[in-house]
């Protein structure tokens, strides 16, 4: 139980020295500028490949096959969209070092795990990062606990929880695709997923430990079910109630509350 006591991982060692921080910033910026042409070229190649793949998915032979239903096709395309989005987010996952408030969230989750294992009801024990609601941090708890079991002092302590962010961000891209697919067309869904999924800021937030990536997923799911609730649907039961729309409304409220 004492093994989960919060401690600063090596990768997120924090220093108050402004000089060393400035030196790291300058080194990081210079490395970024030097590698910028190669990064731009590789990203362009990847975008072209994704566009070609999405076009192939919309014209693949099984699309017109009577043995493949629209639901099955949507599932396969959703899996492909998720795989591409996840690959983009996992690429260079640990290349950024400690970013923004990652160490606050990481240490807060370790503190929560320590309190849970020791059944500590003391309110002061749960005060870590108290200014933010805990749900967005609890989603990282399994990965951080797993990370601790492997090597609590690993220099890549952020890799496992960052992979959770990448997965949640990929799920959001899939929901964007489903919104476009359901209310417009498959091509619109794929185009929307490409635009959203390849936006640099969206990718960046899905490669770090933060609260934004899970919040974006909940709100996107809430929007999807809200649109489904607003959509006319023929599933009326004998009492005259649209049970399908009622379920969509409750799902929307659930995800909005998260």
């Amino acid at each position: 139980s004492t093994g989960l006591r919060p401690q600063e991982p090596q990768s997120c060692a924090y220093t108050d020295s402004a000089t060393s921080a400035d030196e790291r910033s300058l080194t990081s910026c210079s490395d970024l500028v030097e590698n910028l042409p190669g990064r731009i070229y590789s990203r362009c190649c990847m975008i072209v490949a994704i566009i070609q793949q999405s076009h192939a998915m919309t014209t693949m032979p099984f699309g017109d096959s009577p043995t493949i239903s629209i639901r099955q096709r949507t599932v396969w395309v959703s899996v492909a969209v998720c795989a591409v989005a996840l690959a983009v987010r996992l690429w260079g996952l640990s290349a950024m070092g400690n970013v923004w408030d990652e160490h606050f969230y990481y240490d807060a989750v370790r503190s929560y795990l320590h309190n849970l294992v020791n059944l500590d009801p003391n309110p002061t024990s749960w005060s870590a990062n108290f200014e933010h609601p805990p749900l967005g941090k609890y989603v990282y708890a399994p990965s951080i606990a797993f990370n601790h079991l492997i090597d609590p002092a690993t220099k890549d302590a952020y890799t496992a929880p960052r992979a959770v962010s990448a997965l949640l961000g990929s799920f959001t891209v899939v929901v964007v695709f489903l919104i476009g697919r359901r209310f417009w067309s498959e091509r619109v869904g794929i185009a929307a997923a490409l635009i959203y999924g390849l936006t640099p800021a969206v990718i960046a937030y899905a490669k770090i430990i933060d609260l934004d990536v899970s919040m974006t997923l909940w709100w996107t799911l809430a929007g999807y079910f809200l649109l489904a609730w607003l959509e006319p649907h023929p599933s009326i039961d004998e009492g005259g109630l649209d049970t399908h729309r009622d379920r969509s409304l409750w799902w929307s409220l659930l995800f909005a509350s998260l």
Side-chain angles (χ1 to χ4, degrees):
S1 62
T2 58
L4 285 172
R5 186 174 302 278
Q7 59 183 355
E8 194 75 17
Q10 295 181 9
S11 62
C12 57
Y14 184 77
T15 177
D16 293 330
S17 173
T19 302
S20 60
D22 291 341
E23 290 176 353
R24 288 197 304 271
S25 299
L26 290 173
T27 303
S28 177
C29 291
S30 62
D31 292 342
L32 179 62
V33 172
E34 291 177 359
N35 297 328
L36 188 59
R39 289 175 178 268
I40 293 176
Y41 176 77
S42 59
R43 286 295 175 93
C44 289
C45 292
M46 182 172 58
I47 292 173
V48 170
I50 293 173
I51 293 175
Q52 291 175 343
Q53 181 65 26
S54 65
H55 177 72
M57 286 190 295
T58 59
T59 57
M60 60 179 58
F62 66 72
D64 298 326
S65 173
T67 61
I68 301 296
S69 65
I70 295 178
R71 182 185 296 271
Q72 290 174 317
R73 178 184 174 89
T74 301
V75 170
W76 281 110
V77 177
S78 298
V79 171
V81 169
C82 184
V84 171
L86 185 60
V88 172
R89 282 150 180 77
L90 291 177
W91 183 30
L93 188 64
S94 301
M96 291 184 291
N98 183 17
V99 179
W100 295 321
D101 295 334
E102 280 190 301
H103 60 285
F104 292 117
Y105 302 142
Y106 187 93
D107 289 346
V109 175
R110 289 180 62 89
S111 177
Y112 299 160
L113 289 172
H114 171 77
N115 297 336
L116 287 173
V117 170
N118 291 277
L119 300 178
D120 187 353
N122 190 347
T124 58
S125 300
W126 297 85
S127 60
N129 199 239
F130 188 74
E131 63 272 20
H132 292 123
L135 181 60
K137 289 168 281 187
Y138 281 143
V139 297
Y140 296 107
S143 62
I144 292 178
F146 174 77
N147 201 45
H148 173 82
L149 292 176
I150 295 177
D151 185 0
T154 177
K155 65 183 180 64
D156 296 324
Y158 291 167
T159 301
R162 281 178 173 178
V164 174
S165 293
L167 190 61
L168 294 176
S170 301
F171 289 160
T172 306
V173 178
V174 173
V175 178
V176 171
F177 159 73
L178 292 176
I179 292 175
R181 168 68 181 82
R182 176 166 183 169
F183 301 102
W184 286 275
S185 68
E186 185 178 87
R187 290 177 181 270
V188 171
I190 292 176
L194 284 172
I195 294 172
Y196 173 79
L198 296 178
T199 300
V202 173
I203 296 174
Y205 275 96
K207 294 166 74 75
I208 62 175
I209 306 171
D210 60 16
L211 308 180
D212 304 87
V213 64
S214 59
M215 180 178 63
T216 303
L217 176 60
W218 309 143
W219 274 113
T220 308
L221 283 167
Y224 173 80
F225 285 106
L226 178 63
L227 291 173
W229 178 67
L230 295 173
E231 180 187 33
H233 198 276
S235 59
I236 308 297
D237 65 9
E238 295 180 357
L241 297 176
D242 192 338
T243 55
H244 177 85
R245 293 187 65 196
D246 287 343
R247 288 195 300 269
S248 296
L249 177 60
W250 285 113
W251 280 113
S252 178
L253 293 174
L254 172 63
F255 286 117
S257 65
L258 294 178

